[in-house]
Each structure stands twice: as structure tokens, then as C-alpha cells.
């Protein structure tokens, strides 16, 4: 209820509305704001949503990005002239450090994040976990930023168009299960659909519906492996050629988006028949079809039209020190920035596939409760987590225990990424605790989500770290 007794709209996530209003009011009180965000798809979309909302509210701001918000990074933020700092998609895990700076009078923090909070608190802290909402699967950093943006809008519903970016962030953080985005995310999807910027459909959940020519589309589908098609270029071409469809136009293979509904149905049925005939288990076959999201304002056949391809495009910029390019794309640049992002994407894709191949060739070391590999300098530390996630359950790599992935950060520091599964989380696995405690035991620090977390540790402490992590995982699952 507002002062004049009129019931205000409850916003996309009612549980968070009141606190979002307090955070928005604090931002409106600021002369100017330093916006600090994380360098992945969720962090970029968080920054784009927050900066659009600040801009529309007439609040001056500047945006900075950081790979990892550690003591040094927070100190450099504190050293700026800004008295108000808005942290998006990080900040909660570093609350202890941030609270110290706040107490010292360096700045007032406003945080829109979804990571496990460190042991401290602050007044303006918009995190779904504080409202009984799961930060790993029900709301992302972009989602929390969207809730804040809705609280900042001048006119009811004026920022609803930003729901499109919030959905890209959620999908970038892998919050879409086969049944689609759920929990608080569902409220954001509804906003986007109502605003006319988002479409939710049931479709093949293979990566590349918008941009990949059909044979590549099927060949690269790796989540559900179909013998004779997945990872088999000739097999994929043969499968498509045997269908009674005209799948080429002007001699070029068409893409999934180019097909009519009837044509798509024909391909899906044939794929399913092939999968059944090759002995793919029924529940895996069901996984071929699921909920997908498209951005209606974007051109068909572009990376931006499909939410999942959009998020990969963003990772391809920010994880290679070009967050500026990704942010510009989010903010609507469809010329130079998009061209640059596409070049970065080609490089990112090559790195992902080479990295995954390297892991498959080298294999992993299996301990009692975890498995691990150390990529050294072979895989960039900013993408070793994505590759670890793609590797779990791939040929020769177990899917029933968590994976730890190491990569060299510098001569002094090593990056660790950890990935588990929802089945393990239900049994008690919490990788954010594993990463925080095991890294602190060897003089590093870390955190994240129960299903996916990370840490930085001093060079030379890997063995001790693995032993510590192995022990904690054993306790959690024991
Ligand atoms: O920092 P942030 O929250 O954005 O990163 C989340 C990371 O966790 C992403 O790299 C995402 O791919 C990963 N993740 C995962 N499996 C899940 C949920 C998240 O690998 N089920
Ligand atoms: O890069 P990002 O984490 O957004 O990728 C999400 C998922 O998309 C990956 O886990 C992978 O399965 C798929 N992907 C792919 N081919 C690419 C990039 C991503 O299959 N070139
Ligand atoms: O870097 P990576 O993709 O492995 O990160 C997985 C999750 O762990 C992300 O949510 C990230 O923000 C978090 N993380 C963290 N502290 C670190 C490294 C990663 O909280 N030192
Ligand atoms: Zn996030």
C-alpha cells in the first residue's frame, strides 16, 4: 500500500517488491551511481538492465565490470569518488568485504545478486535467497536486477521490455530445465510475453536453432546423443537426405527456423524413431523437446533471436575482456558491436570445442567423491567452468560425481571451477560451501551456487585443495 492508500502493483516477484522499492528509493537519492557487474552472460544482462533503468530514471551512472569481486577489486571501487555503488550479479558472496568498506564510510552498497551470501549483511541487499527463492534455479542476477528495474520505473510497466534481457541472463546461468523457467523466473517470462518482447514455445532443445545449417545443428547436438547422427557429419547429412523434405534452398542447407511447423514435426518424429531404434532411453528422448524462448524484437535467423544463442554470444565477449562489446549489443547496437561479437563468438566456439576435446583426450582423475582435471594453460580460466559443465557425463567422464576443473590464472594463482548435478544437490551436495571452505583452507577464496561454484587458490595448493574438497563432498553426501 502506498501512502495514499492505493494498492501498488506487486511487481514480477511479489516477495521481493517491498525491499526492491527500498533499494530503488536509495538509488534515487544518489547524485550518481557506480554500477559494477560480473563478466558473464548473466552479469552483462544484469548491467544492461540496471543501466537502462538508471538511465530512464535520470540517475547518472558509470559501469565497470570485474571477473571476480575480491578484496583488491572492492578496494579499487572504494577508491573511486562514488558514494553509491550498485553491484549486480555479484556482491552477496563478498558481503563481508563490502560491509567493512561501508562501515569505513567508503560507499553505500546496493546489491542485486543471487549468489550465496557471505557471513555479513547490509541494508540494501536484494537477493532471492533472502526471500525463500532459490538463487541457482529460480532467479538469476539479471532477474534480481529486473526486479529492481521494475521498482525504479516511473510509469507502471515502463521497464517490462527489460524482461527479455532477464530471460537471457537466467538461461545463461542454466536456470532453464526441460519444463522451462520456473519459480520467480516464470513471473519474468510472463512480463516479457505480456510486453510483446518474448515468446515461449515447445520445440527441439538443440543449440543453434536460429543460425546453424541443419546438418551442423543435428551433428553438434550433444545433450541427447543419437548414434549415427551426433558427432557424425555424414550421418547427419544422410539422415536429413533420407527424409521426404526439401531441406535445401539455392543449394544451401536451410536452418531450423526456416522450416515450417509441418516440416519440423516430420524431422522431430524421424529423430525420435531413430533414437528409439538406436536404444536411446525413453527419458533421454523426452529431453529432446522442451521449452524454448525467442526474442521477438530480434531478426529471425540471428544469434539474438534465440535466448540460448544470445547468452553464448555474450559469454564470447565478456569472458574475453570485451564486456563493452557485449553490453553494447544488449543495449541495442546492431552494427559494429554485433559484428565484433560475432567474431569473438567464432573464437569462443573454437575454444569450447578444443577445450572439451582436450579434456576427453586427457581424461580425469577420479578420487573417492570427486573427479578432476588440471588444464594448466590449455584452457582459459574464464571458460574452464563452461567446459567442465559440458564435460560432465560426456564419454569417459562420470556424471554421478562432481567435477573440479583447474586452470592457471597467473604464476601465483589457480582458478577452480566445480560443477555438480541437480540429483547430487538433492542428496545434499552444496558446491558453494565446498569451494569456500576448501579454498579458505589453502589460503584462497570461493563461493557460488550449490550446483556450480568456483574459487581461486594459491599456486601449488592443488593437491591439498582436492583432498579437502573430496572430504567435504563425502561429508555432504554421506
Ligand atoms: O556467476 P554465475 O552465477 O553467473 O554463474 C553460474 C554458472 O553456473 C554458469 O557458468 C552456469 O553455466 C553454471 N550452472 C551450471 N549448472 C546449473 C546452473 C548453473 O553449470 N544447473
Ligand atoms: O557458452 P554457454 O555457457 O552459454 O553455453 C551453454 C551451452 O550451449 C553449452 O553447455 C553447450 O552445451 C551449448 N553450446 C554448444 N555449442 C557452442 C556453444 C554452446 O553446443 N558453440
Ligand atoms: O567461474 P565459474 O563459472 O566456475 O563460476 C561458477 C560460480 O561460482 C559462479 O556463480 C561464480 O560467480 C561463482 N564463483 C565465486 N567465487 C569464485 C569463483 C566463482 O563465487 N572465486
Ligand atoms: Zn549469475
Amino acid at each position: 500500500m502506498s501512502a495514499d492508500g492505493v494498492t501498488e502493483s506487486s511487481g514480477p516477484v511479489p516477495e521481493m517488491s517491498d525491499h526492491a522499492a527500498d533499494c530503488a528509493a536509495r538509488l534515487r537519492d544518489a547524485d550518481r551511481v557506480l554500477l559494477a557487474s560480473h563478466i558473464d552472460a548473466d552479469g552483462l544482462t544484469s548491467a544492461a538492465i540496471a543501466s537502462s533503468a538508471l538511465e530512464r530514471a535520470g540517475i547518472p551512472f558509470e559501469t565497470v565490470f570485474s571477473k571476480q569481486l575480491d578484496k583488491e577489486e572492492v578496494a579499487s571501487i572504494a577508491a573511486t569518488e562514488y558514494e553509491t555503488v550498485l553491484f549486480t550479479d555479484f556482491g552477496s558472496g563478498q558481503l563481508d568485504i563490502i560491509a567493512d568498506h561501508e562501515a569505513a564510510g567508503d560507499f553505500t552498497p546496493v546489491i542485486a545478486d543471487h549468489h550465496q551470501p557471505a557471513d555479513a549483511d547490509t541494508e540494501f541487499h536484494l537477493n532471492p535467497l533472502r526471500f525463500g527463492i532459490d538463487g541457482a534455479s529460480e532467479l538469476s542476477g539479471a532477474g534480481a536486477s529486473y526486479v529492481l528495474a521494475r521498482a525504479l520505473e516511473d510509469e507502471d510497466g515502463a521497464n517490462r521490455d527489460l524482461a527479455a534481457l532477464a530471460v537471457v541472463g537466467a538461461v545463461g546461468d542454466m536456470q532453464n530445465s526441460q519444463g522451462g523457467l520456473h519459480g520467480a523466473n516464470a513471473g519474468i517470462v510472463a512480463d516479457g510475453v505480456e510486453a510483446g518482447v518474448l515468446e515461449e514455445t515447445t520445440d527441439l532443445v538443440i543449440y543453434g536453432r536460429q543460425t546453424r545449417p541443419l546438418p551442423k545443428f543435428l551433428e553438434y547436438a550433444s545433450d541427447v546423443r543419437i548414434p549415427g547422427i551426433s558427432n557424425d557429419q555424414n550421418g547427419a547429412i544422410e539422415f536429413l537426405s533420407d527424409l521426404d523434405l526439401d531441406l535445401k534452398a539455392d543449394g544451401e542447407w536451410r536452418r531450423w527456423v526456416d522450416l515450417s511447423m509441418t516440416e519440423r514435426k516430420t524431422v522431430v518424429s524421424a529423430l525420435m524413431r531413430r533414437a528409439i531404434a538406436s536404444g536411446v532411453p525413453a527419458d533421454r528422448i523426452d529431453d529432446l523437446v522442451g521449452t524454448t524462448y525467442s526474442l521477438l524484437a530480434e531478426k529471425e535467423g540471428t544469434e539474438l533471436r534465440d535466448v540460448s544463442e544470445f547468452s553464448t554470444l555474450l559469454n564470447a565477449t565478456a569472458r574475453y575482456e570485451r564486456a563493452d562489446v557485449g553490453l553494447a549489443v544488449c543495449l541495442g547496437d546492431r552494427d559494429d558491436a554485433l559484428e565484433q561479437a560475432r567474431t569473438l563468438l567464432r573464437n569462443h566456439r573454437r575454444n569450447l570445442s578444443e577445450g572439451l576435446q582436450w579434456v576427453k583426450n586427457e581424461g580425469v582423475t577420479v578420487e573417492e567423491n570427486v573427479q578432476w582435471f588440471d588444464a594448466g594453460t590449455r584452457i582459459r580460466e574464464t571458460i574452464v567452468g563452461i567446459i567442465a559443465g559440458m564435460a560432465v557425463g560426456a564419454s569417459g567422464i562420470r556424471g554421478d560425481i562432481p567435477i573440479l576443473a583447474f586452470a592457471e590464472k597467473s604464476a601465483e594463482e589457480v582458478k577452480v571451477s566445480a560443477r555438480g548435478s541437480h540429483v547430487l544437490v538433492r542428496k545434499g551436495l552444496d558446491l558453494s560451501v565446498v569451494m569456500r571452505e576448501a579454498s579458505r583452507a589453502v589460503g584462497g577464496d570461493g563461493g557460488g551456487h550449490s550446483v556450480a561454484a568456483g574459487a581461486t587458490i594459491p599456486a601449488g595448493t592443488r593437491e591439498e585443495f582436492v583432498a579437502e574438497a573430496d572430504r567435504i563432498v563425502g561429508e555432504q553426501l554421506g
Side-chain angles (χ1 to χ4, degrees):
M1 298 270 269
S2 64
D4 55 3
V6 178
T7 305
E8 282 165 8
S9 75
S10 53
V13 183
E15 299 92 320
M16 296 169 71
S17 288
D18 285 346
H19 193 56
D22 293 343
C23 294
R26 179 59 188 79
L27 291 171
R28 282 189 183 280
D29 281 346
D31 293 332
R32 52 186 193 142
V33 172
L34 181 61
L35 167 60
S37 196
H38 196 202
I39 56 137
D40 64 2
D42 190 31
L44 275 179
T45 47
S46 298
I49 291 167
S51 56
S52 299
L54 290 169
E55 174 104 38
R56 291 173 188 180
I59 304 166
F61 67 95
E62 186 188 345
T63 311
V64 292
F65 288 94
S66 169
K67 189 149 73 178
Q68 190 57 51
L69 197 61
D70 52 19
K71 270 200 185 71
E72 290 73 33
E73 287 289 315
V74 182
S76 76
I77 286 172
T80 65
E81 299 284 299
Y82 287 89
E83 284 167 7
T84 309
V85 182
L86 171 57
F87 295 95
T88 58
D89 194 36
F90 57 24
S92 298
Q94 300 75 24
L95 258 175
D96 42 356
I97 305 169
I98 290 172
D100 285 347
H101 280 282
E102 183 179 20
D106 294 339
F107 58 78
T108 302
V110 179
I111 301 172
D113 189 12
H114 66 133
H115 291 97
Q116 287 292 341
D119 209 8
D121 215 348
T122 187
E123 191 176 353
F124 306 105
H125 181 203
L126 193 62
N127 184 321
L129 293 159
R130 299 180 71 212
F131 303 91
I133 297 165
D134 182 14
S137 63
E138 298 181 328
L139 197 73
S140 69
S145 304
Y146 176 73
V147 171
L148 179 63
R150 290 294 314 277
L152 268 170
E153 70 197 9
D154 290 323
E155 211 179 294
D156 192 29
N159 282 340
R160 272 194 329 192
D161 59 323
L162 302 175
L165 288 170
V167 169
V168 175
V171 169
D173 265 11
M174 299 186 61
Q175 300 197 335
N176 58 330
S177 51
Q178 298 305 102
L181 292 169
H182 61 281
N185 279 321
I188 300 180
V189 169
D191 267 15
V193 170
E194 219 172 299
V197 293
L198 188 71
E199 184 181 60
E200 187 178 29
T201 38
T202 303
D203 201 348
L204 262 190
V205 283
I206 295 177
Y207 182 87
R209 283 183 301 275
Q210 293 290 329
T211 59
R212 282 187 177 160
L214 282 165
K216 285 246 172 300
F217 175 66
L218 295 185
E219 177 194 339
Y220 288 165
S222 51
D223 287 352
V224 181
R225 244 168 288 278
I226 303 177
I229 296 178
S230 308
N231 292 318
D232 184 341
Q233 189 178 358
N234 292 330
I237 292 177
E238 221 168 285
F239 166 81
L240 290 163
S241 306
D242 285 349
L243 299 173
D244 194 14
L245 293 175
D246 202 1
L247 297 178
K248 286 193 183 176
D250 302 328
E252 300 274 334
W253 284 99
R254 295 160 72 198
R255 301 159 303 185
W256 187 252
V257 279
D258 302 324
L259 306 190
S260 68
M261 273 306 159
T262 322
E263 289 172 320
R264 288 187 199 180
K265 280 201 182 114
T266 306
V267 179
V268 172
S269 310
L271 259 186
M272 294 207 162
R273 276 199 306 276
R274 168 68 77 90
I276 293 166
S278 334
V280 178
D283 57 329
R284 297 298 289 145
I285 294 176
D286 287 345
D287 287 350
L288 276 169
V289 172
T291 308
T292 63
Y293 301 93
S294 312
L295 301 191
L296 298 178
E298 305 298 343
K299 242 199 242 138
E300 277 213 350
T302 67
E303 297 85 351
L304 307 178
R305 179 87 176 186
D306 180 80
V307 161
S308 156
E309 292 193 59
F310 196 151
S311 82
T312 302
L313 182 83
L314 295 180
N315 276 324
T317 65
R319 291 180 189 261
Y320 297 82
E321 281 146 32
R322 291 311 306 271
D324 57 321
V325 173
L327 182 63
V329 170
C330 288
L331 294 175
D333 185 327
R334 297 289 171 269
D335 299 319
D336 293 355
L338 183 54
E339 257 335 292
Q340 274 179 296
R342 284 181 171 145
T343 304
L344 289 161
L345 178 61
R346 283 191 286 277
N347 172 55
H348 179 49
R349 285 197 165 141
R350 193 169 50 241
N351 290 344
L352 288 184
S353 93
E354 286 175 6
L356 186 59
Q357 199 50 53
W358 183 86
V359 178
K360 285 182 187 165
N361 291 346
E362 297 290 312
V364 296
T365 306
V366 180
E367 306 289 342
E368 210 167 319
N369 306 299
V370 299
Q371 55 190 335
W372 61 271
F373 67 86
D374 187 345
T377 55
R378 306 295 293 262
I379 298 176
R380 214 181 146 86
E381 53 109 352
T382 53
I383 62 164
V384 76
I386 297 176
I387 291 170
M390 293 168 86
V392 175
S395 59
I397 298 162
R398 282 170 62 173
D400 61 341
I401 52 174
I403 190 164
L404 308 179
F406 298 87
E408 192 177 302
K409 201 166 177 168
S410 65
E412 297 81 37
E413 286 184 324
V414 173
K415 166 72 191 292
V416 198
S417 280
R419 295 293 187 269
S421 68
H422 291 293
V423 175
L424 289 169
V425 168
R426 278 196 292 277
K427 288 183 182 158
L429 180 75
D430 186 344
L431 290 173
S432 73
V433 171
V434 176
M435 288 293 105
R436 178 161 299 141
E437 291 185 358
S439 64
R440 287 189 176 173
V442 301
D445 203 5
H449 310 287
S450 46
V451 71
T456 300
I457 57 171
T461 62
R462 188 192 72 205
E463 214 167 312
E464 199 186 340
F465 177 86
V466 170
E468 204 46 29
D470 194 46
R471 182 186 64 74
I472 303 171
V473 171
E475 272 174 20
Q476 290 180 345
L477 298 176

